[in-house]
């Protein structure tokens, strides 16, 4: 795979750190003007990171595929909250293993942010890349149903919020180049939730950084260059 395709996956985690989440790359997170967007071929300088023997890279962790909790299939606030929590908690598995099925089952096809995550996860895996560590811990969740609660009945849409911390991680985006360290991240994810008749789906997501952290909480200091 050529260099532009390899550089595009450097923004895999950066998408999470944009306010609101969208098809932006490191420029949106760090305030620079020379980084590519997630949907455009990059035109910046070549990757000048030191070369590496792939055998010297941090090994790809072996992570068991997480099982979705049964409550995710319930048309309740608890079901919506569990769906968002599971999406975050299964992120490291997807980025480490390359298996996107856990996310595909919980996102609406019209969620452009979600599709960008999935596309980048596939590209990363196709070129032999993976994530090391970076586990999410969801501390609390809440759900606000759309419409007037006084009307009664089960909610069909609303906004779920998850307070989380993501541990430090290492992104091996190109096994022949020095890996990229990424700092810990703390904040909130707000997600538009939709009930499709069988399960909750995520229709959009927005990241709200913790106080004092700013938009670039988990970015490498050199922007991955």
């Amino acid at each position: 795979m050529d260099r532009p395709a390899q550089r595009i996956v450097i923004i895999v985690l950066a998408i999470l750190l944009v306010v609101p989440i969208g098809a932006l790359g490191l420029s949106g997170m760090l305030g620079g003007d020379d980084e590519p967007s997630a949907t455009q071929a990059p035109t910046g300088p070549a990757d000048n990171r030191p070369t590496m023997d792939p055998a010297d890279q941090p090994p790809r962790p072996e992570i068991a595929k997480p099982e979705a909790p049964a409550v995710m299939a319930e048309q309740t606030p608890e079901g919506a909250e569990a769906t968002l929590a599971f999406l975050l908690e299964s992120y490291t598995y997807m980025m480490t293993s390359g298996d996107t099925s856990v996310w595909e089952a919980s996102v609406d096809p019209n969620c452009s942010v979600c599709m960008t995550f999935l596309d980048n996860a596939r590209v990363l895996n196709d070129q032999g890349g993976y994530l090391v560590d970076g586990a999410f811990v969801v501390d609390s969740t809440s759900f606000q149903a759309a419409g007037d609660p006084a009307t009664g009945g089960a909610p069909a849409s609303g906004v779920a919020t998850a307070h989380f911390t993501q541990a430090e991680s290492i992104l091996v985006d190109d096994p022949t180049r020095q890996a990229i360290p990424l700092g810990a991240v703390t904040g909130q994810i707000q997600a538009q939730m939709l009930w499709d008749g069988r399960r909750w789906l995520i229709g959009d997501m927005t990241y709200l950084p913790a106080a004092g952290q700013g938009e670039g909480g988990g970015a490498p200091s050199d922007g991955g260059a």
Side-chain angles (χ1 to χ4, degrees):
M1 182 170 293
D2 59 16
R3 179 63 56 196
Q6 290 173 342
R7 282 179 58 81
I8 200 170
V9 300
I10 295 176
I11 56 82
V12 171
L13 297 187
I15 297 171
L16 181 61
L17 307 178
V18 177
V19 183
I21 292 177
L24 296 175
L26 292 177
S27 61
M29 184 175 64
L30 301 178
D33 297 323
D34 59 353
E35 288 291 342
S37 76
T39 56
Q40 296 175 340
T43 58
D47 189 342
N48 294 320
R49 287 177 292 164
T51 58
M52 291 273 296
D53 183 336
D56 294 332
Q57 294 282 10
R60 184 194 296 257
E62 295 185 6
I63 302 178
K65 183 175 182 177
E67 295 186 10
V71 69
M72 287 173 53
E74 297 179 4
Q75 191 177 356
T76 61
E78 292 77 13
E81 293 173 29
T83 299
L84 177 57
F86 180 72
L87 193 84
L88 295 177
E89 292 168 350
S90 63
Y91 175 82
T92 303
Y93 166 77
M94 177 176 73
M95 299 304 297
T96 299
S97 68
D99 179 3
T100 58
S101 63
V102 289
W103 268 51
E104 290 168 352
S106 297
V107 300
D108 188 290
N110 294 317
C111 175
S112 60
V113 173
C114 307
M115 293 301 107
T116 302
F117 270 112
L118 288 168
D119 288 344
N120 279 315
R122 296 181 186 112
V123 171
L124 182 67
N125 185 63
D126 287 347
Q127 60 195 44
Y130 51 91
L131 184 69
V132 179
D133 299 325
F136 277 84
V137 174
V138 176
D139 300 312
S140 64
T141 56
S142 61
F143 178 74
Q144 179 62 54
D148 184 356
T151 60
S157 63
V159 176
T161 301
H163 297 255
F164 74 92
T165 297
Q166 183 190 13
E168 295 180 352
S169 59
I170 298 174
L171 180 64
V172 181
D173 64 314
D174 179 348
T176 68
R177 295 282 180 175
Q178 186 179 68
I180 302 169
L182 297 167
V185 181
T186 300
Q188 300 177 39
I189 291 289
Q190 290 187 339
Q192 297 291 331
M193 307 299 298
L194 309 169
W195 178 257
D196 75 346
R198 298 182 300 111
R199 59 187 174 179
W200 287 99
L201 297 177
I202 293 175
D204 196 10
M205 292 189 290
T206 301
Y207 169 69
L208 304 175
Q213 180 165 278
E215 297 180 20
S221 60
D222 63 357

